Amino acid sequence: MAASTPSVPPSASKSVAVLGAGITGLTAAYRLSHDGHRVRVFEQSHRVGGAIRTEETDGWLIEGGPNSLLSGEPAASKLIDELGLAGERIVANPGAKNRYIVRGGRAIAAPMSPPSFLSTPLFSPLGKLRLLSELFARRRVRTTDVSLAEFVGTHFGQAFVDYALNPFVSGVYAGNPNKLSARHSFPKLWEIEQTHGSLIRGQIAGAKVRRAQGGARPGIFSFTHGLQTLTDTLAARIPAGAIALNASLDAIVPGEKWSVIWHDAGGTHTQAFDAIVVALPAHALAQLRIGALSERPLAALDAMQHPPVSSLFLGFRREQVSHPLDGFGVLVPELEKRSVLGILFSSSLFPGRAPAGHVALTVMAGGARQPALASLPTDQLITAVRRDLTELLGVSGDPVFVRHSFWPRAIPQYNLGHEQFLAAFTTAERAHPGLFFGGQARDGIAVPACLAAGEKLAARVAGTSAA
């Protein structure tokens, strides 16, 4: 794919340091470089991509971090098309339509239509009536933030919190809905309540707007060779030699130009830049040292919680699993007292995830619910989840393939009080012109949100508005 003409004249070109080569940093670096700016990316680890990590071996395709993307996000769609990856996109198998939730020791398909809602055993008749009554909720302007559990509970009742919200939050945040901030963890729901009152009416209105604008219903997708296709392609479009791996940051120093001081196997180095984009995780942001006095303006981010999560990719012969695996996966409410947070039916979702005659399951464990479980060695963790696999999915025997990914700091929790961290970002930027922060700790935890954050950072550095 031929490079396009830079949109910035040489006289206006800026030199920009990008700290962090995850999806946010790579997107910002690509956009800045594409638009004619000079970039240098610094990454402490030996690889780019951050939490996005795909492995292909012997017919198995393993996602060590995120497993899929949600369509309908403008920034992601635009970038994928621009990178020439539209032909690599694969949508989720339409036959894998069910979302299972465990209740009473059984994996029950969540209702996806009015008739299935009326017949589902997930909720009692009284609980269903409570859900339907939400259609008549009035608009509400809250003066203070509340927990996500309280927010959703006022709309749908406690049964919905226990058997819908709780497992959903475990699947998205690996967190606790009683601690998550409603305003910051799901800001779209917060806005819908203010504009429509009823969350159901607001979702219906949003769907009508999308249809009127010709937009497709949001769906799940990935790439033929996994999500790392996206980060690898971004890295390949950044000028050769512009990404410094195994580069440990020592400090950044403001002045007439910003100085980045870092070290690697070759020693300590210093380089000057017009601006610095910081796309680091919260724990690294907390350690970021600025100026000759090595001040840490974001030290408060040490308090941002990141529960540990283990991802077990397990391969079985098809006959070892009696469940039809006709869905996205199964989520487990905390009340069910299970070892797993959820199980993704990886080989049902997308083709090419398992060899012929085999199936692949991705088991998530740990999180805020059982953090110690995530830290177990692989063999002990498999033993811990084996009963759940057997009782919920009819799995027999040992897996024929195993990959264990452990994330000691998995997902930042946008808990109550999250605004203190957002304020710290704003204060640091105001105190240090030319310094720009973005990424998972600030802009949303999902991959499309982090990608959009990279685009926004590039636009801010260039002095333009993000699309």
Side-chain angles (χ1 to χ4, degrees):
M1 182 175 175
S4 59
T5 303
S7 59
V8 175
S11 60
S13 175
K14 296 179 180 180
S15 60
V16 185
V18 177
L19 309 184
I23 184 64
T24 299
L26 290 175
T27 301
Y30 163 77
R31 180 59 60 206
L32 287 164
S33 176
H34 178 273
D35 289 347
H37 300 284
R38 306 180 307 280
V39 300
R40 187 84 189 274
V41 181
F42 298 91
E43 170 56 44
Q44 185 174 18
S45 73
H46 68 282
R47 58 178 294 275
V48 302
I52 296 177
R53 189 173 68 196
T54 307
E55 177 190 355
E56 293 183 86
T57 179
D58 299 327
W60 304 97
L61 190 150
I62 307 101
E63 296 284 15
N67 284 271
S68 60
L69 299 175
L70 185 65
S71 65
E73 300 292 339
S77 298
K78 178 182 176 183
L79 182 63
I80 288 169
D81 289 343
E82 185 178 314
L83 294 173
L85 293 177
E88 293 288 315
R89 282 179 54 142
I90 51 174
V91 298
N93 176 11
K97 61 183 183 300
N98 289 319
R99 270 70 170 163
Y100 288 93
I101 297 175
V102 176
R103 179 154 196 172
R106 294 191 301 122
I108 300 170
M112 306 294 286
S113 66
S116 62
F117 170 75
L118 293 175
S119 61
T120 181
L122 279 173
F123 304 107
S124 67
L126 186 60
K128 294 172 186 176
L129 184 62
R130 178 69 176 82
L131 290 171
L132 291 173
S133 69
E134 201 274 341
L135 279 164
F136 306 100
R138 296 180 178 180
R139 283 189 297 178
R140 178 184 305 195
V141 178
R142 297 179 186 266
T143 57
T144 58
D145 197 3
V146 295
S147 74
L148 186 61
E150 180 180 341
F151 178 87
V152 173
T154 58
H155 282 269
F156 299 111
Q158 188 60 39
F160 187 87
V161 170
D162 291 340
Y163 280 94
L165 177 68
N166 179 277
F168 175 75
V169 164
S170 291
V172 174
Y173 274 92
N176 183 343
N178 292 301
K179 294 183 178 180
L180 285 170
S181 154
R183 183 172 187 173
H184 297 295
S185 63
F186 288 92
K188 290 183 180 178
L189 291 183
W190 182 272
E191 182 181 347
I192 286 173
E193 183 189 60
Q194 293 183 324
T195 56
H196 291 84
S198 164
L199 302 185
I200 296 176
R201 289 204 316 272
Q203 297 286 0
I204 293 173
K208 288 181 178 178
V209 170
R210 283 194 302 271
R211 288 196 298 270
Q213 296 174 345
R217 182 178 180 180
I220 302 296
F221 74 97
S222 183
F223 301 97
T224 303
H225 296 285
L227 292 188
Q228 193 172 311
T229 298
L230 179 56
T231 50
D232 283 351
T233 303
L234 283 168
R237 300 294 173 83
I238 296 169
I243 300 177
L245 299 177
N246 300 304
S248 296
L249 184 68
D250 295 321
I252 55 176
V253 182
E256 185 175 342
K257 284 183 175 285
W258 280 92
S259 293
V260 175
I261 305 170
W262 83 97
H263 67 272
D264 56 19
T268 300
H269 316 274
T270 302
Q271 188 171 348
F273 298 91
D274 296 316
I276 297 182
V277 165
V278 186
L280 298 171
H283 63 276
L285 289 167
Q287 299 304 317
L288 183 66
R289 298 184 182 278
I290 299 179
L293 299 179
S294 295
E295 296 177 355
R296 294 166 53 206
L298 298 179
L301 269 71
D302 259 335
M304 186 180 288
Q305 295 182 4
H306 293 67
V309 172
S310 267
S311 170
L312 271 178
F313 181 95
L314 304 177
F316 296 93
R317 296 185 303 277
R318 185 63 187 91
E319 61 269 20
Q320 288 181 269
V321 184
S322 63
H323 193 280
L325 303 181
D326 54 344
F328 184 93
V330 57
L331 292 173
V332 182
E334 187 171 6
L335 287 177
E336 292 292 314
K337 306 296 183 183
R338 295 278 176 175
S339 296
V340 303
L341 296 175
I343 307 166
L344 185 70
F345 303 162
S346 301
S347 55
S348 296
L349 262 186
F350 302 112
R353 269 48 182 173
H358 293 74
V359 296
L361 305 173
T362 300
V363 180
M364 311 304 294
R369 189 182 297 177
Q370 299 181 82
L373 197 61
S375 304
L376 291 177
T378 304
D379 57 344
Q380 293 182 32
L381 184 58
I382 292 175
T383 299
V385 304
R386 184 182 296 274
R387 181 175 71 92
D388 291 347
L389 293 175
T390 299
E391 294 180 359
L392 299 177
L393 301 179
V395 174
S396 61
D398 296 326
V400 298
F401 184 88
V402 176
R403 278 292 184 276
H404 179 191
S405 300
F406 172 55
W407 301 96
R409 299 185 184 96
I411 302 170
Q413 303 295 293
Y414 289 11
N415 285 340
L416 288 167
H418 184 69
E419 56 273 4
Q420 67 176 306
F421 304 126
L422 300 179
F425 285 120
T426 302
T427 300
E429 287 181 338
R430 287 175 177 169
H432 300 286
L435 186 61
F436 303 88
F437 295 99
Q440 200 180 44
R442 187 182 197 182
D443 299 295
I445 66 167
V447 173
C450 293
L451 185 154
E455 294 279 12
K456 181 180 178 182
L457 283 166
R460 292 177 63 205
V461 170
T464 60
S465 297

